Amino acid sequence: MLGKLNMDEFAMGSSNETSAFGPVVSPWRREGSNVSAGASGAIEGTHLVPGGSSGGSAAAVAAHLCLGATATDTGGSIRQPAAFTGTVGIKPTYGRVSRWGTVAFASSLDQAGPITRTVRDSAIMLRSMASPDPKDTTCVDLPVPDFEAAISRGVKGLKIGIPKEYRIDGMSPEIEQLWHQGAEWLRAAGAEIVEVSLPHTKYALPAYYIVAPAEASSNLARYDGVRYGLRENGRDIVDLYEKSRAAGFGREVKRRIMIGTYVLSAGYYDAYYVRAQKLRTLIKRNFEEVYAQGVHAILTPATPSAAFGIGEKGSGDPVEMYLNDIFTVPVNMAGLPGIAVPAGFDSQGLPLGLQLIGRAFDEETLFAAGQVIEDSAGRIKLPPAWWA
Ligand code: GLN
């Protein structure tokens, strides 16, 4: 273990701007950008976010500070930062990796996985991270395959689905083009590309922003300044609770706790929480139906855009930030594995990623298809150390 890395507070965020320690700076710069490390070592100019919430992990791997890093993904926090930094990130099937030792955000969605520079490194690292664990009852008792062996399998004879509902308004033409390119690479390697339909996709993000805050409000109740978390002394116990919780959480975390408490409260529970759970079942069923048609994996863009600048998104409307996870969230809602692999660049020279979504506990197919994308795209050249 080399050290601990920065992240969004309680893993809530898509840019690392909610971190209590200040934002992570991406090692990537837009073409022609004047961002540099100043004489004092301070970063000058508009720098880019590495994505979030595991942005520290992604930035450290992309900056060659380490070979690989652990990360967690509740709605996209491994795959979105990997896509923003030209690295590989896999969110394994829910239950593949133990959550023991992870601070719980939304327990029915949280899953740990690696961020690495190559698909092979990802396979090696996941193999050592995955195992049954009596300390996490959601962790399944399945043998861990040799993921590294799977990377050379290729995709000959595999059926890869392209979901039409992932073609969203306002998606950049570069992403659309990259997606098409990815499908062509897989076809050239012997896969059959088929159009599939996941009709409930559009409900995944709104349902996630009910389920995840509901679980978070419950999980974060323990940070009361008595048993867990920051303590601010008060006149009496109620005052201590109030002061501790007011000082111990940032704005975004408070927003989630309030949303979660609201959707779980008597009178609103059926209208919000129960309906979101029903949608979750339908989203999961959509995937099952596609896989029942013989589809082995699904190809989508990882994110609707490349990395943005610090302060550029979400300051007025938090939903603008939430939309970053539009392609990754359905995978968590369905408990399935998803991998983000770097596949190209946008017009500003920033990396873009493709996502492959697999059948439950079939990460091997994701490594096999991910390797085909990596081989076809060519290994992404990571940025030089301008900060050193
Ligand atoms: N960005 C999403 C959120 O803010 C996902 C976070 C995550 O996967 N930890 O909830």
Side-chain angles (χ1 to χ4, degrees):
M1 166 127 156
L2 298 177
K4 288 166 73 164
L5 292 158
N6 201 354
M7 61 185 288
D8 279 298
E9 192 175 39
F10 286 99
M12 297 172 190
S14 304
S15 65
N16 257 266
E17 291 164 291
T18 80
S19 169
F21 303 96
V24 170
V25 168
S26 174
W28 287 90
R29 296 182 294 182
R30 288 182 179 129
E31 241 158 50
S33 143
N34 61 352
V35 172
S36 61
S40 62
I43 306 286
E44 291 167 353
T46 305
H47 25 274
L48 298 177
V49 304
S53 63
S54 304
S57 301
V61 173
H64 283 267
L65 303 184
C66 56
L67 270 172
T70 55
T72 66
D73 190 314
T74 301
S77 283
I78 291 176
R79 292 159 288 159
Q80 185 257 14
F84 275 15
T85 56
T87 55
V88 177
I90 184 165
K91 182 202 88 72
T93 313
Y94 185 79
R96 180 62 95 182
V97 174
S98 172
R99 293 170 303 122
W100 171 257
T102 304
V103 170
F105 166 6
S107 307
S108 75
L109 302 161
D110 299 345
Q111 185 59 198
I115 294 181
T116 56
R117 284 200 284 274
T118 66
V119 172
R120 181 184 292 272
D121 285 352
S122 180
I124 293 170
M125 202 163 152
L126 181 62
R127 189 171 187 200
S128 72
M129 288 176 77
S131 76
D133 182 0
K135 292 201 180 100
D136 178 355
T137 51
T138 63
C139 207
V140 296
D141 194 0
L142 280 178
V144 179
D146 183 350
F147 295 127
E148 194 185 357
I151 64 169
S152 53
R153 275 189 196 170
V155 292
K156 198 165 275 159
L158 294 189
K159 228 186 207 186
I160 307 285
I162 307 290
K164 55 171 185 267
E165 291 80 7
Y166 277 62
R167 219 160 260 126
I168 57 162
D169 288 346
M171 190 160 82
S172 88
E174 289 154 340
I175 303 261
E176 180 84 48
Q177 164 64 23
L178 185 82
W179 191 12
H180 185 73
Q181 176 67 262
E184 284 311 311
W185 286 330
L186 292 168
R187 194 199 309 273
E192 183 192 345
I193 307 296
V194 292
E195 180 157 293
V196 297
S197 176
L198 299 165
H200 290 90
T201 299
K202 60 177 175 293
Y203 302 114
L205 199 68
Y208 170 86
Y209 275 98
I210 291 173
V211 173
E215 293 186 26
S217 75
S218 163
N219 274 326
L220 271 50
R222 63 170 69 91
Y223 296 94
D224 57 8
V226 176
R227 292 168 301 163
Y228 291 93
L230 177 90
R231 174 182 297 191
E232 290 283 315
N233 285 320
R235 282 187 315 278
D236 51 33
I237 184 72
V238 173
D239 195 40
L240 179 149
Y241 283 152
E242 286 179 359
K243 288 210 171 90
S244 298
R245 288 179 66 83
F249 298 125
R251 269 171 61 86
E252 183 60 28
V253 177
K254 283 180 186 158
R255 179 175 13 242
R256 306 281 181 113
I257 292 173
M258 285 189 282
I259 294 170
T261 308
Y262 178 82
V263 299
L264 289 176
S265 59
Y268 297 103
Y269 184 82
D270 289 339
Y272 291 104
Y273 187 71
V274 172
R275 281 179 84 189
Q277 291 291 18
K278 286 184 181 157
L279 281 169
R280 190 170 177 183
T281 306
L282 295 173
I283 291 159
K284 192 162 181 272
R285 198 172 295 157
N286 282 174
F287 280 107
E288 284 162 5
E289 283 160 5
V290 165
Y291 292 137
Q293 290 157 23
V295 169
H296 297 92
I298 294 166
L299 180 74
T300 77
T303 56
S305 74
F308 44 91
I310 291 178
E312 278 176 14
K313 253 190 198 177
S315 51
D317 180 3
V319 174
E320 201 191 2
M321 189 64 79
Y322 298 169
L323 283 167
N324 265 288
D325 298 315
I326 191 144
F327 299 141
T328 49
V329 149
V331 183
N332 302 71
M333 293 296 265
L336 298 172
I339 192 169
V341 181
F345 295 93
D346 76 349
S347 59
Q348 308 192 89
L350 299 180
L352 297 171
L354 286 172
Q355 171 178 241
L356 287 152
I357 307 168
R359 296 176 174 181
F361 297 104
D362 184 18
E363 289 86 1
E364 288 165 283
T365 297
L366 300 187
F367 286 123
Q371 186 63 47
V372 168
I373 293 195
E374 185 178 282
D375 289 343
S376 314
R379 205 67 85 63
I380 293 276
K381 201 171 160 297
L382 293 167
W386 50 269
W387 57 88

